[in-house]
Amino acid sequence: MATVGEWVEGARPRTLPTAIAPVLAGSGAAAGVLGFDLLAAVLALIVSVALVIGVNYANDYSDGVRGTDDDRVGPLRLVGSGVAQPYLVKRAAFLCFGVGAVAGIALSLYSGHWWLIVVGAVCLLGAWFYTGGSRPYGYRGLGEVAVFVFFGPVAVLGTEFTQTGRASGLGIGSSVGVGLLACAVLVANNLRDIGSDVETGKRTLAVVLGDRDTRVLYAALVVVPLGMTLVLSLRAWGALAGLLALIVLGPGLRRVLAGSTGPQLIPVLRDTALGLLVWSAATALGLALT
């Protein structure tokens, strides 16, 4: 039986910045147009964190039962390592999805936009079928597309919309930056796993592109959001605070471009997620103060 510590590690807490960042960015955009709502922001954060932890457990379950995680570098896999029964990990995923669904319904009703419940349902389906089901889209090179859509426009603009009733230019720009950096987190993860994914038949975008082009893609996903910072600063000079993320993103970018592989890329995943959080927090604060 898995220990509490192993369940926590299986939730992959290092990925939590991808849950927090969109809510920060969306709330910052809302504050930038004088529409910040604390309760809506808290409910959005609960939804986001619950879904990210849920999708981590769901991926652990689905990859584990397929045998994809039998020989994998990186964080503990509960099913793949054999420390937890698959049905328990699946149950944990559905429990998290349930918490996210309840908070999402509450947020939709509180904001007065019931149709957001439909958007939430689509997010739940996307979370499960990333690696679940008979034809998971994560195995067909579409993971990055889904991450950009769900962590960028959907999460950031959804957060702003529940607070202000509209999507502003500040929100749209922020959603692009968050979406691209969230993709960079996934690309860093899949770059590390190219070898094992090829062996198990998991066709991620990194497998399709190959090692060299995946490194180029990672660099682009990190650099473009910094350019978006300059675009946002034309409307709100405080957005320039987002450039502080380069301090965190720089070391990982150097590792990737230098050709680091395997365990050497584990810090890149951590630094990219932290860079996403720093960019989102600094941008949100800059937009709010401006």
Side-chain angles (χ1 to χ4, degrees), residues 11-227:
R12 303 186 70 178
R14 288 183 179 178
T15 65
L16 287 182
T18 63
I20 300 170
V23 179
L24 288 177
S27 297
V33 294
L34 305 178
F36 177 69
D37 186 314
L38 179 60
L39 179 57
V42 170
L43 288 172
L45 183 62
I46 294 173
V47 172
S48 189
V49 170
L51 290 187
V52 167
I53 295 177
V55 78
N56 286 339
Y57 282 138
N59 293 344
D60 191 305
Y61 164 78
S62 297
D63 285 343
V65 296
R66 283 190 174 90
T68 308
D69 284 345
D70 289 348
D71 184 21
R72 181 67 63 90
V73 177
L76 172 73
R77 267 67 170 189
L78 295 167
V79 176
S81 64
V83 301
Q85 292 294 324
Y87 80 93
L88 291 176
V89 179
K90 183 179 182 181
R91 186 177 296 174
F94 284 173
L95 176 61
C96 292
F97 290 156
V99 171
V102 171
I105 292 172
L107 177 58
S108 298
L109 297 177
Y110 173 73
S111 66
H113 304 291
W114 64 267
W115 55 268
L116 287 174
I117 295 174
V118 178
V119 176
V122 174
C123 292
L124 287 173
L125 292 174
W128 175 252
F129 287 107
Y130 172 59
T131 56
S134 59
R135 302 184 67 183
Y137 64 85
Y139 281 54
R140 304 171 70 184
L142 298 174
E144 283 76 8
V145 175
V147 165
F148 176 80
V149 171
F150 288 123
F151 288 87
V154 172
V156 176
L157 297 181
T159 297
E160 183 186 22
F161 192 85
T162 57
Q163 297 180 40
T164 66
R166 67 188 182 95
S168 68
L170 297 178
I172 293 171
S174 298
S175 74
V176 172
V178 171
L180 292 177
L181 284 172
C183 284
V185 175
L186 179 59
V187 169
N189 181 79
N190 290 343
L191 173 63
R192 181 197 66 202
D193 294 338
I194 285 179
S196 59
D197 286 341
V198 169
E199 293 177 0
T200 57
K202 185 176 182 179
R203 278 179 61 84
T204 63
L205 184 59
V207 170
V208 173
L209 293 177
D211 184 90
R212 183 179 67 86
D213 288 345
T214 299
R215 294 176 189 275
V216 173
L217 173 62
Y218 174 84
L221 292 172
V222 168
V223 171
V224 172
L226 298 177

